[in-house]
Amino acid sequence: MTNSKEADPHPSRWRRFLQYIEVPTDPGVPNTSWVNRDLIPMPKERRTYKIWSYFIYWCIGGLSISGYATGSTLLAYGLDATQAIVSVVICGLIVGVLCVTCGWMGERFYCSVQVQLGHAASVQQLTAVHYVDSSSRGAYFPVFIRAFVGTFWDGLQAYWGGQAVAVTIGAIIPGFAHMKQTLAGGILLTKDFIGIIIYYVFFIAMMRIPPERLQKPFIVSSVMFSATLIGLLSWAVSNTHSGGPLFQEPANPVHGETGWAMLFGITAILGAWCEIVLLSLARSPDISVMVNRGGGTVGQSDWTRYANRPYAPTLSQLIAAPFCIIVCATIGIIVTSCAQEIVGSLIWEPFLLLAALQNHYNDSPKVRAAIFFAGLGCVCAQLGISIVLNSVSAGMDLSGVVPRYINIRRGAYLLAFLGLASNPWQYMSNASIFLTVLSGFGIFFAPFSGILLADYFVVRRCKIKLEDCYIGDKRSIYWYHNGVNWRAPLAWVLGVFPAMPGFIMTTRDATAWNVWVRIFHIAFFVGLSISFVAFSVICWVSPPGNVGIGVLYHEENSFEVESELETEEKEGVTRVGVA
């Protein structure tokens, strides 16, 4: 096969520069306008994740600072601690099922979420997708939504990671912990900014490791944060001998309806685990802001494609995912409740709790030693969650836009830069309207999930002709006029529309309460269900014409990438034949 670097024997200076900055290639996998080594079906030698690897993966995804703070969202809806835990259990079980269904195609065909999302909507991803012209402008839309939301989420995670680094350093150097100097008009503590820079140094170093070799760093991260959770839980319960005051407080559900409050809470957590950034914006002294872009059920194929055997991810998705989500959120509620009794304030972020404990115990050497290791566990958790749930998926998205020049690693670095440039300390401090708007982006993701599931399981019956997903011209059986399968955007609009009025009303008035606002608060169920049914019905009335073609799983050695010269030659033959 001919690489682009060999296409022109006498390239210009600009062309030589462009060739120089192209991403690395593998033998037989040239860089083209729609393919690089990270976008093709995962080769056998790179499929290194075993059953235990996915259990560790879910220790990273489920045992996280975001998961720990889940209770803040549930209590913001007026639930008591027991009702919040029940809601988490229900959410965890549903998330496990969603992860299996959304990751099934990646497990069977070793392809990324770009193929999984794009095979249904044909407007999902610019390149390397089912049924999409590689030059389709419509494909930018969902990529930009995911990248936009991912940028702010990455910045927030780095902000939290920087604060955890600052706490860890402060445990060694008490003077650093008590620094009062600020930046950005008094919003950002200087010590936190120093922590963010150090955090990014470690993040960049970890992203040098390809995803297929991250199992050992993931083990370290999961063990460290698990030890942090166990230590906090032991300290909290041993000092209070109870679950703390939150378990004694009665429920005060929003608008006096416990059923709706629990449904809102369940929907909120489910949305967060479906590529949604959910922000509980209650600004009362008792409830902190909780931001979660959880395990990313939509993005499961970005990781199930690394499975070394069929069904390797399934057991962990059904067991480890719910278990880790439930355990972490429950520990967060219990520790926060007990800590309120001990230190006198409600602190949902574990690294901020550690800083408060250092002050509470007057910089005791023994306490500082414990805080150092606990803070290190929080840093490891942030590094792991940023890579698992953000950097790899975002890198895949950006790689799909410009595959010749961006791969997973470069995409992750670009996202990290944009995340820092977004000034997360600003929008976490005084941009409540912006956070409300950002949280509303969840209404766009749920319909994508419904279309994905309907197309692959109902319309296609799990049959895919994988090689045609990577052909960007009329030779592909998945070629559509102007690169857009009209059935998908129609189903997507139908899924988004019911939640839009409530979204607008909530943005304009946070206290608004009517039927539209209720629909907005359960947008995950509404959007997913309507788009699923709508897409299935539309394809039944007007079949795509390429249904039933392909195989149920990827056959080894059945996939080969064409170079651009080979594509141009075949296109020329096609044009001549048509003429």
Side-chain angles (χ1 to χ4, degrees):
M1 294 195 176
T2 306
N3 197 353
S4 60
K5 297 182 180 181
E6 304 172 0
D8 186 356
H10 304 290
S12 64
R13 185 172 298 177
W14 174 247
R15 174 61 63 180
R16 288 197 299 270
F17 171 75
L18 292 179
Q19 292 175 351
Y20 176 76
I21 63 174
E22 285 188 14
V23 298
T25 61
D26 282 344
V29 185
N31 294 326
T32 71
S33 298
W34 57 89
V35 170
N36 62 31
R37 70 185 295 270
D38 288 335
L39 290 173
I40 64 170
M42 192 56 55
K44 187 174 183 179
E45 61 273 13
R46 295 180 65 189
R47 301 200 296 263
T48 58
Y49 279 62
K50 303 176 182 179
I51 294 177
W52 67 265
S53 305
Y54 287 103
F55 274 88
I56 297 298
Y57 167 90
W58 275 108
C59 286
I60 297 290
L63 303 178
S64 63
I65 292 176
S66 299
Y68 177 97
T70 296
S72 65
T73 296
L74 298 170
L75 295 182
Y77 284 113
L79 300 177
D80 61 30
T82 303
Q83 291 168 344
I85 292 174
V86 172
S87 299
V88 169
V89 172
I90 297 173
C91 290
L93 296 175
I94 297 176
V95 166
V97 176
L98 284 174
C99 288
V100 172
T101 54
C102 291
W104 191 258
M105 184 175 171
E107 180 183 333
R108 305 303 286 176
F109 290 92
Y110 309 113
C111 55
S112 69
V113 71
Q114 281 66 36
V115 177
Q116 183 185 20
L117 289 173
H119 82 72
S122 105
V123 295
Q124 293 281 344
Q125 176 66 2
L126 180 64
T127 59
V129 295
H130 271 322
Y131 332 135
V132 185
D133 173 6
S134 62
S135 64
S136 169
R137 291 181 177 86
Y140 282 111
F141 175 62
V143 174
F144 285 160
I145 289 180
R146 281 163 55 92
F148 176 78
V149 175
T151 295
F152 293 100
W153 165 250
D154 189 84
L156 175 63
Q157 291 287 18
Y159 182 45
W160 279 2
Q163 290 180 304
V165 170
V167 169
T168 305
I169 296 175
I172 303 174
I173 309 173
F176 184 85
H178 299 296
M179 284 180 60
K180 302 300 181 183
Q181 292 86 346
T182 62
L183 301 171
I187 294 175
L188 175 65
L189 289 172
T190 302
K191 63 179 181 179
D192 289 343
F193 183 73
I194 295 172
I196 291 172
I197 300 303
I198 296 174
Y199 171 85
Y200 268 123
V201 170
F202 283 103
F203 173 80
I204 291 172
M206 280 195 67
M207 278 309 302
R208 295 289 301 172
I209 306 172
E212 61 267 25
R213 298 179 183 174
L214 281 170
Q215 291 98 320
K216 291 183 179 179
F218 285 170
I219 292 175
V220 174
S221 178
S222 59
V223 169
M224 289 293 294
F225 191 63
S226 296
T228 297
L229 292 178
I230 294 172
L232 285 173
L233 181 63
S234 301
W235 162 81
V237 175
S238 64
N239 278 274
T240 62
H241 304 289
S242 67
L246 289 182
F247 286 86
Q248 309 301 323
E249 294 179 4
N252 184 26
V254 290
H255 303 284
E257 301 177 51
T258 302
W260 276 105
M262 291 194 68
L263 183 59
F264 291 164
I266 292 171
T267 306
I269 305 305
L270 283 176
W273 285 91
C274 193
E275 296 284 352
I276 295 173
V277 177
L278 177 72
L279 299 103
S280 175
L281 297 174
R283 296 292 184 174
S284 70
D286 295 328
I287 297 187
S288 63
V289 175
M290 175 276 202
V291 185
N292 196 352
R293 181 185 182 264
T297 57
V298 170
Q300 280 295 289
S301 282
D302 284 335
W303 291 95
T304 58
R305 67 196 298 238
Y306 290 99
N308 70 337
R309 47 162 291 185
Y311 309 112
T314 306
L315 190 61
S316 69
Q317 289 168 329
L318 289 175
I319 297 178
F323 176 80
C324 292
I325 293 170
I326 294 168
V327 168
C328 188
T330 302
I331 290 177
I333 293 172
I334 295 173
V335 172
T336 302
S337 177
C338 295
Q340 183 183 19
E341 181 178 327
I342 298 171
V343 301
S345 58
L346 199 63
I347 304 174
W348 283 104
E349 295 82 2
F351 48 86
L352 296 183
L353 174 60
L354 294 174
L357 291 180
Q358 184 168 338
N359 289 328
H360 180 75
Y361 289 103
N362 299 316
D363 294 326
S364 164
K366 292 182 178 180
V367 171
R368 287 195 290 112
I371 289 174
F372 170 78
F373 288 106
L376 192 60
C378 291
V379 174
C380 291
Q382 284 303 99
L383 289 171
I385 201 73
S386 294
I387 292 174
V388 164
L389 305 182
N390 201 56
S391 299
V392 170
S393 293
M396 287 297 305
D397 285 343
L398 297 175
S399 177
V401 176
V402 193
R404 191 188 297 277
Y405 303 108
I406 298 180
N407 54 15
I408 291 178
R409 181 183 299 165
R410 293 183 184 181
Y413 289 161
L414 176 59
L415 191 76
F417 171 78
L418 295 176
L420 180 61
S422 71
N423 295 336
W425 46 88
Q426 291 283 356
Y427 58 78
M428 284 300 294
S429 299
N430 52 21
S432 60
I433 295 178
F434 172 75
L435 293 178
T436 303
V437 173
L438 190 63
S439 69
F441 273 80
I443 67 176
F444 301 125
F445 288 112
F448 286 153
S449 301
I451 294 170
L452 180 156
L453 298 174
D455 184 85
Y456 183 60
F457 289 103
V458 178
V459 179
R460 307 291 168 185
R461 301 296 175 89
C462 303
K463 285 189 176 181
I464 300 298
K465 189 177 180 183
L466 193 59
E467 56 271 23
D468 278 36
C469 303
Y470 296 86
I471 300 176
D473 55 58
K474 294 181 179 179
R475 292 175 295 122
S476 172
I477 67 171
Y478 305 122
W479 175 277
Y480 282 98
H481 180 65
N482 291 330
V484 177
N485 175 7
W486 61 270
R487 301 162 187 82
L490 176 57
W492 181 79
V493 169
L494 292 174
V496 169
F497 172 75
M500 282 301 295
F503 172 47
I504 297 172
M505 293 176 187
T506 302
T507 302
R508 299 178 66 178
D509 180 9
T511 63
W513 182 252
N514 53 47
V515 65
W516 293 111
V517 174
R518 291 187 180 188
I519 293 175
F520 169 65
H521 280 291
I522 57 172
F524 176 83
F525 290 116
V526 173
L528 188 149
S529 301
I530 291 179
S531 61
F532 181 93
V533 174
F535 190 80
S536 300
V537 172
I538 292 170
C539 290
W540 177 71
V541 175
S542 176
N546 45 29
V547 176
I549 302 175
V551 295
L552 294 172
Y553 58 90
H554 176 54
E555 299 174 349
E556 299 294 343
N557 302 319
S558 63
F559 181 84
E560 186 174 352
V561 180
E562 294 180 351
S563 69
E564 290 191 334
L565 289 178
E566 292 171 330
T567 300
E568 291 173 1
E569 291 173 358
K570 292 182 180 180
E571 287 179 345
V573 171
T574 302
R575 287 193 292 268
V576 171
V578 172

